[in-house]
Amino acid sequence: MVRRVIVLLLLGIVLGLQPYEADFLMFDQDGDKVLKYDELRAQFPSQNPYNTADFVAQFFLDYDSNGDKVIEFKEYSTKREQQKLELEQQQQSISSMYHDDL
């Protein structure tokens, strides 16, 4: 698994993959360009505390924006970009709180 991640990240750099495409491909084990529930569930080792039906179900609720029971790359990248922007806003808010105190 780790080897696959490294290879995909390096390929992403060399081939100029879109943002988030390398990590999407890491989960897309059969290469059909969509993530399915069983495919995602299989990615987590059985000893992983996050390997629960609830975790994967919540992931699908968060990422499957059209409700078709698969996650396409566009849905995945849109959600990841949204999360990135939310994190940046939180960081700016925290940063401004500390700068206001100075």
Side-chain angles (χ1 to χ4, degrees):
M1 177 72 169
V2 171
R3 188 176 181 166
R4 179 180 166 91
V5 171
I6 293 169
V7 168
L8 285 170
L9 291 174
L10 289 174
L11 279 174
I13 293 167
V14 172
L15 298 176
L17 296 178
Q18 297 178 43
Y20 314 115
E21 192 170 6
D23 53 320
F24 180 84
L25 294 172
M26 177 183 66
F27 291 115
D28 182 19
Q29 293 293 297
D30 61 7
D32 64 354
K33 307 289 188 220
V34 296
L35 300 179
K36 295 174 278 310
Y37 179 89
D38 291 337
E39 188 174 42
L40 184 61
R41 179 127 166 97
Q43 299 299 311
F44 300 97
S46 60
Q47 66 272 19
N48 187 326
Y50 296 108
N51 189 19
T52 65
D54 289 343
F55 174 78
V56 177
Q58 185 61 50
F59 187 89
F60 266 78
L61 284 173
D62 292 342
Y63 283 80
D64 183 18
S65 61
N66 64 6
D68 64 355
K69 306 291 188 219
V70 295
I71 300 170
E72 294 93 8
F73 176 69
K74 183 176 181 177
E75 291 173 307
Y76 182 81
S77 62
T78 299
K79 181 66 175 179
R80 290 292 309 271
E81 189 62 30
Q82 177 187 5
Q83 290 171 332
K84 177 184 168 189
L85 292 173
E86 288 171 358
L87 181 60
E88 288 172 354
Q89 289 173 346
Q90 289 173 354
Q91 289 171 336
Q92 288 175 352
S93 176
I94 291 169
S95 178
S96 68
M97 284 188 336
Y98 286 110
H99 289 289
D100 290 345
D101 289 341
L102 295 177

